[in-house]
Amino acid sequence: TVEEATQSLIPLIGAKGMDWMYANCSVTAQRGALDWHQKFYDASLPVFKDLYESVKNGSETKRALDKNSQPDYRESLEIELAEIRGSEIWRAGETVRSLRPENNKK
């Protein structure tokens, strides 16, 4: 889950490296990573190619500058963010974060 990734996995990867993580996680996690990595790579490669091309050809920068130059940018941005904020996965994340021990100190 995202919660597991941000709260435990990413700090461990940062401290010990991905090779350590592969060697020391559960067999289920090892098999999932090893058995599914090619499918995830193949599925995400076209997205990353499009992203890199948009950076290389300047369209990503142009869009950011054009959007940011609009007088109603903040209002338009808030509409876009509200849509994301209202999605099921974002609401679930908000609930999970509220259950963290550091957020329940009384």
Side-chain angles (χ1 to χ4, degrees):
T1 65
V2 171
E3 186 70 10
E4 182 181 22
T6 60
Q7 297 302 298
S8 65
L9 299 179
I10 292 171
L12 277 172
I13 293 166
K16 299 185 181 268
M18 199 61 214
D19 56 334
W20 181 90
M21 183 62 70
Y22 275 128
N24 290 281
C25 63
S26 70
V27 171
T28 302
Q30 288 169 339
R31 292 304 345 142
L34 294 169
D35 296 347
W36 287 88
H37 84 277
Q38 192 63 50
K39 286 187 182 211
F40 280 97
Y41 177 87
D42 293 345
S44 62
L45 185 59
V47 174
F48 281 100
K49 283 184 175 182
D50 288 349
L51 172 61
Y52 290 140
E53 180 57 31
S54 72
V55 171
K56 182 178 171 184
N57 69 25
S59 62
E60 188 74 19
T61 302
K62 183 180 181 329
R63 180 165 169 74
L65 292 172
D66 289 348
K67 284 289 196 176
N68 191 43
S69 298
Q70 295 175 1
D72 67 340
Y73 175 67
R74 295 305 291 176
E75 293 83 8
S76 298
L77 174 65
E78 188 51 43
I79 292 167
E80 291 178 288
L81 293 176
E83 184 178 332
I84 291 171
R85 211 178 290 121
S87 68
E88 182 180 6
I89 195 164
W90 243 251
R91 291 191 323 269
E94 184 177 33
T95 300
V96 169
R97 286 188 304 279
S98 74
L99 300 173
R100 291 180 187 160
E102 67 268 21
N103 294 330
N104 281 316
K105 293 178 183 171
K106 296 185 179 191

